[in-house]
């Protein structure tokens, strides 16, 4: 073989290797583009509240479902949303979250019961104070009347009160 044949074979080998590398790079580029498109479609589906996760892989689908369940559970843990999310929480939450929700409900019921009892005690106390004030006013009125009757009663020469039958009747009332 001549050196020209050897060089020609080497050149064809280099050109062939370069073409093979270009073909491989083009195929890899299209493969990467497909992965990127699938990833973008999966991301759009994941960001939607009820998006179709069919474009995502099984691991990603499981994680997204777990994240969605977590969001539902966190919403159910808020007392102001608890009534609206009761069924959803019972379906999506695990036993620990369900236990927390039940404890929160029990505490809310106990708080409501204690508020009712406190309102009743407050009302009873207010009524008792009103009755005591009325009794005190009536007692003070009786004392004032009795003092006025004694002050108006006739006095003897030595300054003693001489309370007759009419005076005693008025004091008894």
């Amino acid at each position: 073989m001549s050196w020209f044949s050897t060089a020609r074979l080497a050149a064809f080998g280099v050109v062939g290797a370069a073409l093979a590398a270009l073909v491989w790079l083009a195929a890899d580029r299209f493969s990467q583009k497909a992965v990127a498109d699938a990833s973008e479609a999966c991301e759009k589906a994941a960001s939607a509240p009820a998006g179709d996760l069919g474009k995502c892989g099984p691991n990603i689908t499981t994680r997204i479902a777990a994240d969605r369940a977590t969001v539902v559970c966190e919403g159910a843990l808020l007392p102001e949303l608890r009534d609206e999310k009761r069924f959803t929480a019972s379906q999506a939450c695990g036993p620990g979250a369900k236990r927390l929700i039940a404890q929160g409900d029990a505490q809310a019921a106990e708080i409501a019961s204690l508020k009712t009892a406190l309102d009743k005690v407050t009302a009873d106390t207010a009524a008792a104070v009103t009755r005591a004030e009325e009794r005190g006013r009536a007692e003070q009125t009786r004392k004032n009347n009795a003092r006025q009757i004694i002050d108006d009663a006739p006095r003897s020469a030595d300054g003693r009160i001489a309370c007759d039958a009419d005076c005693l009747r008025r004091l008894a009332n």
Side-chain angles (χ1 to χ4, degrees), residues 1-22:
M1 263 198 164
S2 75
W3 69 270
F4 184 69
S5 309
T6 306
R8 196 171 58 176
L9 279 176
F12 283 137
V14 169
V15 170
L19 285 176
L22 285 175

Side-chain angles (χ1 to χ4, degrees), residues 46-49 53 59-75 92-93:
S47 63
L53 301 177
N59 291 337
I60 296 173
T61 303
T62 304
R63 287 182 184 171
I64 291 170
D67 287 345
R68 287 179 180 172
T70 301
V71 168
V72 170
C73 287
E74 286 174 355
C93 295

Side-chain angles (χ1 to χ4, degrees), residues 123-133 135:
D124 290 349
T125 303
V129 166
T130 302
R131 287 192 307 271
E133 287 174 348
R135 278 193 311 270

